[in-house]
Amino acid sequence: MDLINIFVKSIFIDNMIFAFFLGMCSYLAVSKKVKTSIGLGIAVVFVLTITVPLNFLLNKYLLEPGALKWLSPSLADVDLSFLSFIMFIAVIASMVQLVEMVVERFAPALYASLGIFLPLIAVNCAILGGSLFMQQKGFTNVWQSLSFGLGSGIGWMMAIVLLASIREKITYSNVPAPLRGLGIAFIITGLMAIGFLAFMGIKI
Amino acid sequence: MAKKKSKEILFDPLFENNPITVQVLGICSALAVTVKLMPAIVMALSVMAVVAFSNLIISFMRKLIPMRVRIIVQLVVIAALVILVDMLLKAFAYDISKQLSVFVGLIITNCIVMGRLEAFAMDNKPWASFLDGIGNGAGYGLILIIVAFIRELFGSGTLFGHKVIPQWFYDHGYMNNAMMLMPAMALITVGVIIWLQRSYMPQLTEKE
Amino acid sequence: MKFDRNSNGYTLIFMTVLLAVVAVALSGAFTFFKPFHEQNKRQEKMTDILYIIGLDQARLQKAAQSKGLSLNYDLIQKYFNQYIIKQLTLDNQGNPVQGINAFEINLKRELAKPAAEQHYPLFIARYNGKTYYIIPMYGKGLWDDIWGYIALEDDMNTIHGIKFGHKGETPGLGANITEKWFEDRFKGEKLFDPNGQFTGIDIVKHWKDETNKNDHKIDAISGATLTSNGVKAMINERVKHYVPYFNKLKKQ
């Protein structure tokens, strides 16, 4: 598995939204305007790119069965993998907090446009999902996990920006009243997912 | 907020205030597990247990939790409960836990859980919070089960793994719709459910 | 003194107590449930292996019922020990290795090691007067991991039974590798050519000739070419490890 393959696959084929429905809550809630959706998208890319490799290291050197071998050979049988959920979510929550503080301190302009989205992200399933999929896929080095995190983030961002552009246009159409808003958003996403099936099986 | 009766707390979230179709919460992990009916039911029960018990625990602690760290406290409680559920499934429902894979873990970030903790458990008594959790879990489960029923019936021609569409149909050219098994059709099914629900409950229609 | 639940000291104490309680509770639960988890995994492995030599769940159930027993872990283990007469661990050169329990080998972790350090488990079964060689397999499908078991007849050439598992192949397409009709396509196919050269199995799109069991070819699942390719690679690569050992056995 080389890096580019993982990257392209995680954008188009294993797309967080279209293949796994992860991060749907904020995806549907924040996709009314293209501009805000870009903001949230960037925040997701940012946080995924940081947390997936971090959690990879955490998993490799702390949680996996036999991961503690580097500390002392007698710990080779320790299996802490049952703690992964709690550790991953702790890393994500604290990373989001940290990113928020750093951005606020050093890039006030970016903070003004991104800041409101960051707290939303700690509870975005796409972020935790990224780490859990990373754990399942058994990447061998940190670069693979980095490429996966970045790709998943970009895939998510692409999905939300696309949906937002469609939803901006659809306000001019005559959608049946009960379907307006949430209903039609679901159906549009479904149709987009069918379109994305075309990418299935791409190998680079 | 006026005090609601237990019955309302329990039954409101089933239809009028359904977490998925009205509150738009918890869709994330909902759809990927609805290819077959059985995993969907197990998922629904797991979410119900996690919402109910985390509501209960947080409600007991609500006067003790430092406000600044309340999100982290909530996450810790939820994560601990989800880990317990995951262990239980792996021990007693091994086959289904394999099918659910990462989606059990994703209950942690299921917005229903966090949403109910913030909106209800933080300022209500334990018993009411517990009922609220059961109600919302059931509302979530209801949609999950409806979607899974439709997808399994038309996608595989089975229910709970048993064939229900008679052979006669297949002999006359009926075919299972493999499209129903794809993620895309889950979204469209939910869209149609929302459409139907809002046609009967016009007060829920969104204004643009 | 007035109780202030937002003071730093209190926050710290609260978090420490909470985390301690959670950690203790979870470790307790984990130690309690671990035996169940491991038993489930072992049971699955044993059922899969018994399945491919011809002892499927229904047959085991019947056998258990005729003795008035219910089919539980202990009984499955008993059948497993009765029919699996030998468990071998082979090294990369096909030589049996002592001291490593074949049943406990985690193939995924084994294959991540450098080739020279890999060990491969081999199970030898005897059922209805015939000997079978059972090889566990592991590989990649279209989306994620796939795995399985293959049972060879006592000529170490003809496929007697096969079983696949997968983590996330496309439902209705690639996921069909677990269906019986796909397994049946493999039965009777040969892995070696008449000269004894390892040829493996080719999975070909729209292969109509299913009756010829000597062509090393079977029909792919339509619409699931990439999963089929993964299955093909998995069978051929995993069985290859055992060729040196089989060659030695055949010479004897």
PDB file of all heavy atoms in Angstrom, chain A residues 105-126:
ATOM      1  N   ARG A 105      -4.296  32.386  19.263  1.00  0.00           N
ATOM      2  CA  ARG A 105      -3.142  33.172  19.679  1.00  0.00           C
ATOM      3  C   ARG A 105      -2.372  33.691  18.461  1.00  0.00           C
ATOM      4  O   ARG A 105      -1.973  34.845  18.413  1.00  0.00           O
ATOM      5  CB  ARG A 105      -2.243  32.278  20.538  1.00  0.00           C
ATOM      6  CG  ARG A 105      -0.927  32.855  20.973  1.00  0.00           C
ATOM      7  CD  ARG A 105      -1.112  33.808  22.141  1.00  0.00           C
ATOM      8  NE  ARG A 105       0.161  34.390  22.566  1.00  0.00           N
ATOM      9  CZ  ARG A 105       0.815  35.321  21.891  1.00  0.00           C
ATOM     10  NH1 ARG A 105       0.343  35.759  20.738  1.00  0.00           N
ATOM     11  NH2 ARG A 105       1.965  35.803  22.348  1.00  0.00           N
ATOM     12  N   PHE A 106      -2.160  32.809  17.463  1.00  0.00           N
ATOM     13  CA  PHE A 106      -1.232  33.168  16.389  1.00  0.00           C
ATOM     14  C   PHE A 106      -1.909  33.577  15.085  1.00  0.00           C
ATOM     15  O   PHE A 106      -1.283  34.183  14.236  1.00  0.00           O
ATOM     16  CB  PHE A 106      -0.268  32.006  16.123  1.00  0.00           C
ATOM     17  CG  PHE A 106       0.633  31.746  17.295  1.00  0.00           C
ATOM     18  CD1 PHE A 106       0.434  30.640  18.106  1.00  0.00           C
ATOM     19  CD2 PHE A 106       1.679  32.620  17.594  1.00  0.00           C
ATOM     20  CE1 PHE A 106       1.254  30.406  19.191  1.00  0.00           C
ATOM     21  CE2 PHE A 106       2.496  32.385  18.683  1.00  0.00           C
ATOM     22  CZ  PHE A 106       2.282  31.276  19.488  1.00  0.00           C
ATOM     23  N   ALA A 107      -3.151  33.209  14.891  1.00  0.00           N
ATOM     24  CA  ALA A 107      -3.801  33.566  13.631  1.00  0.00           C
ATOM     25  C   ALA A 107      -5.227  34.037  13.909  1.00  0.00           C
ATOM     26  O   ALA A 107      -6.183  33.318  13.640  1.00  0.00           O
ATOM     27  CB  ALA A 107      -3.795  32.381  12.672  1.00  0.00           C
ATOM     28  N   PRO A 108      -5.342  35.225  14.472  1.00  0.00           N
ATOM     29  CA  PRO A 108      -6.669  35.716  14.857  1.00  0.00           C
ATOM     30  C   PRO A 108      -7.638  35.769  13.681  1.00  0.00           C
ATOM     31  O   PRO A 108      -8.843  35.522  13.843  1.00  0.00           O
ATOM     32  CB  PRO A 108      -6.401  37.118  15.388  1.00  0.00           C
ATOM     33  CG  PRO A 108      -4.937  37.206  15.602  1.00  0.00           C
ATOM     34  CD  PRO A 108      -4.291  36.217  14.716  1.00  0.00           C
ATOM     35  N   ALA A 109      -7.112  36.053  12.485  1.00  0.00           N
ATOM     36  CA  ALA A 109      -7.997  36.149  11.319  1.00  0.00           C
ATOM     37  C   ALA A 109      -8.610  34.790  11.013  1.00  0.00           C
ATOM     38  O   ALA A 109      -9.815  34.659  10.793  1.00  0.00           O
ATOM     39  CB  ALA A 109      -7.216  36.652  10.107  1.00  0.00           C
ATOM     40  N   LEU A 110      -7.745  33.757  11.045  1.00  0.00           N
ATOM     41  CA  LEU A 110      -8.228  32.396  10.808  1.00  0.00           C
ATOM     42  C   LEU A 110      -9.206  32.002  11.911  1.00  0.00           C
ATOM     43  O   LEU A 110     -10.236  31.380  11.659  1.00  0.00           O
ATOM     44  CB  LEU A 110      -7.028  31.438  10.783  1.00  0.00           C
ATOM     45  CG  LEU A 110      -7.324  29.984  10.417  1.00  0.00           C
ATOM     46  CD1 LEU A 110      -7.855  29.910   9.008  1.00  0.00           C
ATOM     47  CD2 LEU A 110      -6.085  29.129  10.571  1.00  0.00           C
ATOM     48  N   TYR A 111      -8.885  32.420  13.146  1.00  0.00           N
ATOM     49  CA  TYR A 111      -9.743  32.054  14.268  1.00  0.00           C
ATOM     50  C   TYR A 111     -11.139  32.628  14.081  1.00  0.00           C
ATOM     51  O   TYR A 111     -12.135  31.986  14.373  1.00  0.00           O
ATOM     52  CB  TYR A 111      -9.150  32.557  15.586  1.00  0.00           C
ATOM     53  CG  TYR A 111      -9.972  32.151  16.778  1.00  0.00           C
ATOM     54  CD1 TYR A 111      -9.939  30.840  17.246  1.00  0.00           C
ATOM     55  CD2 TYR A 111     -10.805  33.065  17.421  1.00  0.00           C
ATOM     56  CE1 TYR A 111     -10.704  30.458  18.321  1.00  0.00           C
ATOM     57  CE2 TYR A 111     -11.581  32.681  18.499  1.00  0.00           C
ATOM     58  CZ  TYR A 111     -11.528  31.372  18.947  1.00  0.00           C
ATOM     59  OH  TYR A 111     -12.295  30.982  20.007  1.00  0.00           O
ATOM     60  N   ALA A 112     -11.178  33.881  13.578  1.00  0.00           N
ATOM     61  CA  ALA A 112     -12.476  34.523  13.409  1.00  0.00           C
ATOM     62  C   ALA A 112     -13.364  33.722  12.457  1.00  0.00           C
ATOM     63  O   ALA A 112     -14.580  33.652  12.634  1.00  0.00           O
ATOM     64  CB  ALA A 112     -12.286  35.942  12.886  1.00  0.00           C
ATOM     65  N   SER A 113     -12.742  33.093  11.443  1.00  0.00           N
ATOM     66  CA  SER A 113     -13.578  32.361  10.490  1.00  0.00           C
ATOM     67  C   SER A 113     -13.735  30.889  10.859  1.00  0.00           C
ATOM     68  O   SER A 113     -14.724  30.255  10.514  1.00  0.00           O
ATOM     69  CB  SER A 113     -12.986  32.492   9.082  1.00  0.00           C
ATOM     70  OG  SER A 113     -11.678  31.998   9.070  1.00  0.00           O
ATOM     71  N   LEU A 114     -12.738  30.314  11.556  1.00  0.00           N
ATOM     72  CA  LEU A 114     -12.784  28.883  11.878  1.00  0.00           C
ATOM     73  C   LEU A 114     -13.282  28.612  13.281  1.00  0.00           C
ATOM     74  O   LEU A 114     -13.844  27.555  13.554  1.00  0.00           O
ATOM     75  CB  LEU A 114     -11.376  28.285  11.777  1.00  0.00           C
ATOM     76  CG  LEU A 114     -10.959  27.648  10.485  1.00  0.00           C
ATOM     77  CD1 LEU A 114      -9.624  26.960  10.672  1.00  0.00           C
ATOM     78  CD2 LEU A 114     -12.003  26.654  10.034  1.00  0.00           C
ATOM     79  N   GLY A 115     -13.023  29.588  14.166  1.00  0.00           N
ATOM     80  CA  GLY A 115     -13.173  29.361  15.605  1.00  0.00           C
ATOM     81  C   GLY A 115     -14.476  28.722  15.999  1.00  0.00           C
ATOM     82  O   GLY A 115     -14.496  27.762  16.771  1.00  0.00           O
ATOM     83  N   ILE A 116     -15.581  29.205  15.446  1.00  0.00           N
ATOM     84  CA  ILE A 116     -16.861  28.673  15.901  1.00  0.00           C
ATOM     85  C   ILE A 116     -17.035  27.206  15.565  1.00  0.00           C
ATOM     86  O   ILE A 116     -17.827  26.516  16.180  1.00  0.00           O
ATOM     87  CB  ILE A 116     -18.037  29.475  15.301  1.00  0.00           C
ATOM     88  CG1 ILE A 116     -17.795  29.697  13.819  1.00  0.00           C
ATOM     89  CG2 ILE A 116     -18.222  30.790  16.017  1.00  0.00           C
ATOM     90  CD1 ILE A 116     -19.030  30.108  13.078  1.00  0.00           C
ATOM     91  N   PHE A 117     -16.279  26.712  14.583  1.00  0.00           N
ATOM     92  CA  PHE A 117     -16.479  25.319  14.174  1.00  0.00           C
ATOM     93  C   PHE A 117     -15.694  24.350  15.033  1.00  0.00           C
ATOM     94  O   PHE A 117     -16.059  23.193  15.150  1.00  0.00           O
ATOM     95  CB  PHE A 117     -16.068  25.123  12.719  1.00  0.00           C
ATOM     96  CG  PHE A 117     -16.872  25.955  11.776  1.00  0.00           C
ATOM     97  CD1 PHE A 117     -16.278  26.931  11.015  1.00  0.00           C
ATOM     98  CD2 PHE A 117     -18.236  25.774  11.676  1.00  0.00           C
ATOM     99  CE1 PHE A 117     -17.026  27.699  10.159  1.00  0.00           C
ATOM    100  CE2 PHE A 117     -18.992  26.543  10.830  1.00  0.00           C
ATOM    101  CZ  PHE A 117     -18.377  27.516  10.066  1.00  0.00           C
ATOM    102  N   LEU A 118     -14.584  24.838  15.602  1.00  0.00           N
ATOM    103  CA  LEU A 118     -13.694  23.895  16.277  1.00  0.00           C
ATOM    104  C   LEU A 118     -14.373  23.111  17.398  1.00  0.00           C
ATOM    105  O   LEU A 118     -14.236  21.891  17.440  1.00  0.00           O
ATOM    106  CB  LEU A 118     -12.439  24.620  16.761  1.00  0.00           C
ATOM    107  CG  LEU A 118     -11.445  24.869  15.623  1.00  0.00           C
ATOM    108  CD1 LEU A 118     -10.353  25.826  16.053  1.00  0.00           C
ATOM    109  CD2 LEU A 118     -10.847  23.566  15.133  1.00  0.00           C
ATOM    110  N   PRO A 119     -15.113  23.763  18.315  1.00  0.00           N
ATOM    111  CA  PRO A 119     -15.733  22.962  19.375  1.00  0.00           C
ATOM    112  C   PRO A 119     -16.702  21.912  18.817  1.00  0.00           C
ATOM    113  O   PRO A 119     -16.840  20.828  19.379  1.00  0.00           O
ATOM    114  CB  PRO A 119     -16.498  23.999  20.203  1.00  0.00           C
ATOM    115  CG  PRO A 119     -15.901  25.297  19.857  1.00  0.00           C
ATOM    116  CD  PRO A 119     -15.407  25.191  18.465  1.00  0.00           C
ATOM    117  N   LEU A 120     -17.329  22.225  17.697  1.00  0.00           N
ATOM    118  CA  LEU A 120     -18.258  21.277  17.073  1.00  0.00           C
ATOM    119  C   LEU A 120     -17.563  19.977  16.702  1.00  0.00           C
ATOM    120  O   LEU A 120     -18.183  18.924  16.606  1.00  0.00           O
ATOM    121  CB  LEU A 120     -18.797  21.881  15.774  1.00  0.00           C
ATOM    122  CG  LEU A 120     -20.117  22.624  15.772  1.00  0.00           C
ATOM    123  CD1 LEU A 120     -20.425  23.090  14.365  1.00  0.00           C
ATOM    124  CD2 LEU A 120     -21.218  21.714  16.284  1.00  0.00           C
ATOM    125  N   ILE A 121     -16.248  20.104  16.438  1.00  0.00           N
ATOM    126  CA  ILE A 121     -15.550  18.998  15.811  1.00  0.00           C
ATOM    127  C   ILE A 121     -15.268  17.851  16.756  1.00  0.00           C
ATOM    128  O   ILE A 121     -15.234  16.692  16.347  1.00  0.00           O
ATOM    129  CB  ILE A 121     -14.273  19.543  15.168  1.00  0.00           C
ATOM    130  CG1 ILE A 121     -14.683  20.179  13.865  1.00  0.00           C
ATOM    131  CG2 ILE A 121     -13.270  18.457  14.927  1.00  0.00           C
ATOM    132  CD1 ILE A 121     -13.560  20.699  13.097  1.00  0.00           C
ATOM    133  N   ALA A 122     -15.106  18.164  18.062  1.00  0.00           N
ATOM    134  CA  ALA A 122     -14.785  17.096  19.009  1.00  0.00           C
ATOM    135  C   ALA A 122     -15.838  16.004  18.962  1.00  0.00           C
ATOM    136  O   ALA A 122     -15.537  14.839  19.174  1.00  0.00           O
ATOM    137  CB  ALA A 122     -14.666  17.665  20.413  1.00  0.00           C
ATOM    138  N   VAL A 123     -17.068  16.371  18.671  1.00  0.00           N
ATOM    139  CA  VAL A 123     -18.116  15.354  18.662  1.00  0.00           C
ATOM    140  C   VAL A 123     -18.526  14.992  17.236  1.00  0.00           C
ATOM    141  O   VAL A 123     -19.597  14.463  17.017  1.00  0.00           O
ATOM    142  CB  VAL A 123     -19.359  15.804  19.461  1.00  0.00           C
ATOM    143  CG1 VAL A 123     -19.061  15.748  20.933  1.00  0.00           C
ATOM    144  CG2 VAL A 123     -19.811  17.171  19.047  1.00  0.00           C
ATOM    145  N   ASN A 124     -17.658  15.293  16.264  1.00  0.00           N
ATOM    146  CA  ASN A 124     -17.952  14.906  14.887  1.00  0.00           C
ATOM    147  C   ASN A 124     -17.513  13.454  14.689  1.00  0.00           C
ATOM    148  O   ASN A 124     -16.358  13.114  14.904  1.00  0.00           O
ATOM    149  CB  ASN A 124     -17.187  15.836  13.947  1.00  0.00           C
ATOM    150  CG  ASN A 124     -17.542  15.599  12.514  1.00  0.00           C
ATOM    151  OD1 ASN A 124     -17.801  14.471  12.116  1.00  0.00           O
ATOM    152  ND2 ASN A 124     -17.573  16.653  11.742  1.00  0.00           N
ATOM    153  N   CYS A 125     -18.442  12.613  14.286  1.00  0.00           N
ATOM    154  CA  CYS A 125     -18.103  11.184  14.191  1.00  0.00           C
ATOM    155  C   CYS A 125     -16.977  10.935  13.197  1.00  0.00           C
ATOM    156  O   CYS A 125     -16.254   9.961  13.318  1.00  0.00           O
ATOM    157  CB  CYS A 125     -19.274  10.333  13.758  1.00  0.00           C
ATOM    158  SG  CYS A 125     -20.864  11.006  14.075  1.00  0.00           S
ATOM    159  N   ALA A 126     -16.846  11.811  12.197  1.00  0.00           N
ATOM    160  CA  ALA A 126     -15.817  11.576  11.192  1.00  0.00           C
ATOM    161  C   ALA A 126     -14.434  11.573  11.841  1.00  0.00           C
ATOM    162  O   ALA A 126     -13.557  10.819  11.422  1.00  0.00           O
ATOM    163  CB  ALA A 126     -15.889  12.634  10.103  1.00  0.00           C
TER     164      ALA A 126
END
